[in-house]
Amino acid sequence: MFKKSLIATAVVAMAASVAAPAMARDNLQIAGSSTVLPFASIVAEEFGSAFPQFKTPVVGSGGSGGGLRQFCQGVGVNTIDIANSSRPIRPAEVESCQKAGVAKIIEVQFGYDGIVFASRADKGSFALTPQQVFLAAAAQVPVDGKMVANPNTRWSQIDSALPDQEIVLVIPASNHGTREVFEEKVTHPGCESLAEVKALDKDAQKAFCNSLRQDGRIIEIAGDYTETLARLQAQADAVGVFGLSFYDQNRDRLKVATVNGVTPSLETIASGEYPVSRPLFFYIKGEHLGVVPGLKEYAEFFLSEQMSGSGSALESAGLIPLADEERARIVADVRAEKVVQ
């Protein structure tokens, strides 16, 4: 009987440990988007100073997809509390989270960012269109009505007004939210603007527009923007894809391109005039609220006017702030613990 009761007690204890995320740490663990990383790092440092009762959160990178994968691994001490993302969470990721017991996903949009094309400061000036970028990046392009392997090796072959430089595009790998924006706002519209592509059926269009060249002129970066910058320093003709905030911090080394004649800036992105912009997010694991100290306080502090509003520290770092009404709505959703459906 004694042995049976011990076994029964152990089973109950194990079940309780699975059902409730009993935490053995007292600081927030955050990972994800390299675009959001500098903003979250600023907030984490300020949060540690403003709330001495809480430890400073630990903020890592890994890309939007990588952060959300970690986020969706489950509930408990060995899983992160917040995933930073430069794109909305996907339905398949929500499903993955739910299968692992992460059912309370709270979405927090905190501002906007722009995607920019930049080259070395000592190289030519680029005035780009989505179609030109596609014709530089595509595996195949239309020539005399036929789809052929991309023959373009210099930007001036695409348009004589572009610099006579070798085509080398340094773009984020597929683990980055920036890659999705690059495709949705630049290469896909550029591809779909071609008459020969318009004549294809939808499936053929998608396959054609998704195919990038594999001849060494496209370099995919799985790490953060510092790696992209390093590649530009090593390859003089390269053009890299960056977040606006990173470009702002490296204006002495980079020259930004216009897109459709518009120079990227806080003003042109906020107004919608610059075409390549996106919302920025972080996702809270609702199961950790009230268990990991400071989780909701961090979220509300991030959304405060002093941190991410007009004239804030994050705006100085390159964030395009939310409108006041939008911020108020999101703060209310966080306080109500509104979950992603």
Side-chain angles (χ1 to χ4, degrees), residues 167-191:
I167 294 173
V168 181
L169 266 172
V170 188
I171 66 174
S174 58
N175 62 311
H176 288 285
T178 305
R179 173 62 170 270
E180 188 169 304
V181 180
F182 170 73
E183 293 172 350
E184 289 184 358
K185 299 291 183 77
V186 183
T187 56
H188 286 185
C191 175

Side-chain angles (χ1 to χ4, degrees), residues 268-328:
T268 59
I269 290 169
S271 69
E273 185 183 1
Y274 183 71
V276 197
S277 62
R278 39 88 184 275
L280 301 177
F281 303 89
F282 60 90
Y283 289 88
I284 301 168
K285 190 172 292 180
E287 287 84 357
H288 288 192
L289 287 168
V291 183
V292 179
L295 184 50
K296 185 175 283 190
E297 290 85 352
Y298 169 87
E300 292 188 17
F301 182 67
F302 204 129
L303 290 168
S304 67
E305 185 74 21
Q306 72 183 90
M307 285 311 304
S308 57
S310 179
S312 66
L314 295 193
E315 185 180 34
S316 298
L319 180 73
I320 294 91
L322 300 170
D324 290 342
E325 319 83 70
E326 197 174 14
R327 177 180 295 101

Side-chain angles (χ1 to χ4, degrees), residues 252-272:
D252 57 329
R253 291 187 278 183
L254 294 171
K255 181 184 293 185
V256 75
T258 62
V259 177
N260 288 343
V262 181
T263 302
S265 68
L266 295 177
E267 294 74 25
T268 59
I269 290 169
S271 69

Side-chain angles (χ1 to χ4, degrees), residues 2 47 65 67 75 93 133 145 154 206 210 212 221 225 236 245 247 270 276 300 313 327 330:
F2 178 69
F47 180 76
V75 173
E93 290 165 333
V133 176
R154 304 185 77 80
K206 184 176 180 181
N210 281 341
L212 299 184
I221 301 294
Y225 294 132
S245 57
Y247 159 69
V276 197
E300 292 188 17
R327 177 180 295 101
I330 293 168

Side-chain angles (χ1 to χ4, degrees), residues 93-109:
E93 290 165 333
V94 173
E95 185 179 349
S96 175
C97 268
Q98 291 173 342
K99 285 180 179 177
V102 183
K104 299 177 182 177
I105 304 167
I106 301 169
E107 180 179 86
V108 184
Q109 183 186 339

